[in-house]
Amino acid sequence: MNEGFETLAIHAGQEADPHTGAVVPPIYAVSTYKQDGVGGLRAGYEYSRSANPTRTALEEALAAVEGGARGLAFASGLAAEDTLLRALCKPGDHVLIPDDAYGGTYRLFAKVLERWGLSFDPVPVGDLDAVRAAVRPETRAIWVETPTNPLLGIADIAGLAQIAHEAGALLLVDNTFASPYLQQPLALGADVVVHSTTKYVGGHSDVVGGALVSGSAELGDRLAYHQNAMGAVSGPFDAWLTLRGLKTLGVRMDRHCDNAERVVDLLLSHEKVSQVLYPGLPEHPGHEVAAKQMRRFGGMVSFRVAGGEEAAVEICNRTRLFTLGESLGGVESLIEHPGRMTHASAAGSPLEVPADLVRLSVGIETIDDLLADLSHALG
Ligand SMILES: *Cc1c(COP(=O)(O)O)cnc(C)c1O
């Protein structure tokens, strides 16, 4: 398919319903399917853990927008991650993860998969030499997020793919922060893309979900086998909401980026802000790589506050439009203090974040209102 991103997001996997002509895939709230004689499946569906038509529509659309061979939808981002790692690794294998990985990903490795026999090492994935030096004979995969959460570090996906493949390992990319609109890791050599569709893909803070998209059909079959065998699937209503969000991902992301750029300008000129972390800034250490592999620089902005931890917490408590809350990627703007909120569990670990850090998920409200709210909170 050579169609553009928005066309695929709106049409891939979403032909009009053959029975009614409904232009949107219905919510197939059903667990089992009538067979025409033993083994006579009408459309390939037998039981909804294995496959459900609403989920299939989402899975085909996700594969199309990531440029992948196969898409699979899960109950959450972490369910997708767990399925991916157990499908592709075995006890005794080793995985490299970012030293500022999403906290839940770190917890999955440290508290769940390590007990299962999978070892891992956090590495600065933005530093290709450090990654190359950390690869071991038993390294099965390199896991990367770019941009990272909450420090917005950038990793070179094509460079990491080369290191992984030379070592006989796989490159797995958590593309949640960029979304497939801004970045397509499979085209850069990644083997599997992971999403928390809870964030930008769903985009409306009304559903929790996850996805895997494989570059090859072979890997896709393996992941689909484990999706069914492990069972952490997306339900039909969740799949429908996520698909509804996906249709507007392109227009939403452009507005998220427009608004984030204006917010960055405001923060740069404010005396209470000691540093702005945004890959769109020329002085950001990952700027060149980001410019090469991303369409634009995203809707996430972090900054450090001159007055330290208390001043950072105060700003989070003073906004009105920027809602104080965890998560990200919805149409509404959110603010949070990673040290005490999303990344509190990383305290004392290699993933600890600076105490004076504030993270913004810049939404798509009227920009002047967002700027006024931030100016007031900064004082
Ligand atoms: C939220 C998030 C996850 C986990 O996804 P859930 O849907 O909350 O399970 C994984 N990676 C990143 C980067 C995230 O932001």
Side-chain angles (χ1 to χ4, degrees):
M1 278 185 281
N2 290 322
E3 283 132 339
F5 184 91
E6 291 86 347
T7 306
L8 293 172
I10 293 167
H11 294 287
Q14 303 167 72
E15 294 77 30
D17 180 63
H19 304 296
T20 62
V23 297
V24 166
I27 302 168
Y28 282 88
V30 60
S31 60
T32 192
Y33 304 81
K34 174 178 158 63
Q35 305 194 4
D36 295 323
V38 174
L41 307 183
R42 290 186 185 184
Y45 295 100
E46 59 185 337
Y47 184 62
S48 280
R49 171 164 34 72
S50 314
N52 171 283
T54 316
R55 196 174 92 220
T56 300
L58 172 62
E59 292 177 335
E60 290 182 3
L62 287 167
V65 295
E66 280 289 4
R70 180 104 186 230
L72 297 162
F74 293 84
S76 69
L78 281 171
E81 294 185 20
D82 185 34
T83 305
L84 170 65
L85 290 160
R86 289 189 209 248
L88 301 185
C89 301
K90 59 182 188 318
D93 284 349
H94 173 253
V95 180
L96 294 174
I97 70 165
D99 63 359
D100 57 350
Y102 170 71
T105 299
Y106 179 74
R107 185 176 55 200
L108 178 66
F109 276 96
K111 304 292 181 190
V112 180
L113 293 170
E114 200 164 55
R115 288 178 55 204
W116 182 65
L118 191 67
S119 65
F120 70 98
D121 281 310
V123 288
V125 287
D127 178 349
L128 295 182
D129 292 330
V131 173
R132 203 177 281 112
V135 171
R136 296 201 227 142
E138 60 275 23
T139 302
R140 171 72 176 136
I142 299 175
W143 182 280
V144 59
E145 289 171 35
T146 180
T148 60
N149 176 22
L151 296 174
L152 299 166
I154 296 292
D156 182 339
I157 296 173
L160 289 168
Q162 197 182 340
I163 294 172
H165 296 155
E166 278 169 13
L170 298 165
L171 181 67
L172 313 176
V173 179
D174 181 337
N175 203 25
T176 299
F177 262 46
S179 90
Y181 180 68
L182 297 182
Q183 176 172 279
Q184 299 192 313
L186 298 173
L188 298 165
D191 296 286
V192 181
V193 167
V194 186
H195 279 285
S196 169
T197 54
T198 313
K199 315 294 169 51
Y200 284 109
V201 172
H204 297 76
S205 306
D206 54 9
V207 62
V208 169
L212 299 177
V213 181
S214 69
S216 75
E218 200 184 339
L219 265 182
D221 287 347
R222 177 132 182 205
L223 298 175
Y225 180 87
H226 279 77
Q227 181 196 41
N228 180 50
M230 294 172 69
V233 296
S234 176
F237 183 54
D238 288 359
W240 184 86
L241 278 174
T242 306
L243 190 58
R244 176 173 152 125
L246 180 64
K247 289 171 195 280
T248 55
L249 179 63
V251 289
R252 282 188 287 109
M253 282 316 293
D254 271 327
R255 182 60 69 88
H256 282 296
C257 294
D258 290 345
N259 284 358
E261 288 168 12
R262 296 283 305 276
V263 163
V264 165
D265 286 344
L266 173 89
L267 294 171
L268 282 174
S269 67
H270 204 285
E271 61 193 7
K272 289 228 179 109
V273 176
S274 58
Q275 191 187 3
V276 182
L277 308 176
Y278 189 64
L281 291 170
E283 61 267 32
H284 186 289
H287 177 68
E288 259 180 54
V289 172
K292 187 180 72 174
Q293 68 191 13
M294 298 177 78
R295 188 198 292 249
R296 296 184 68 182
F297 302 103
M300 299 300 296
V301 179
S302 293
F303 61 98
R304 299 182 71 170
V305 179
E309 178 166 9
E310 289 312 319
V313 168
E314 244 178 74
I315 291 167
C316 295
N317 285 334
R318 266 207 304 261
T319 54
R320 188 181 56 83
L321 264 182
F322 277 85
T323 303
L324 181 63
E326 304 195 350
S327 197
L328 60 112
V331 292
E332 59 289 290
S333 294
L334 298 175
I335 189 167
E336 69 125 355
H337 184 266
R340 290 200 192 165
M341 295 170 62
T342 48
H343 291 65
S345 64
S349 82
L351 283 79
E352 185 169 314
V353 297
D356 59 2
L357 191 75
V358 173
R359 188 188 80 177
L360 304 176
S361 173
V362 180
I364 64 172
E365 300 95 333
T366 308
I367 185 60
D368 290 341
D369 297 332
L370 293 180
L371 296 178
D373 189 37
L374 272 182
S375 299
H376 169 258
L378 285 163

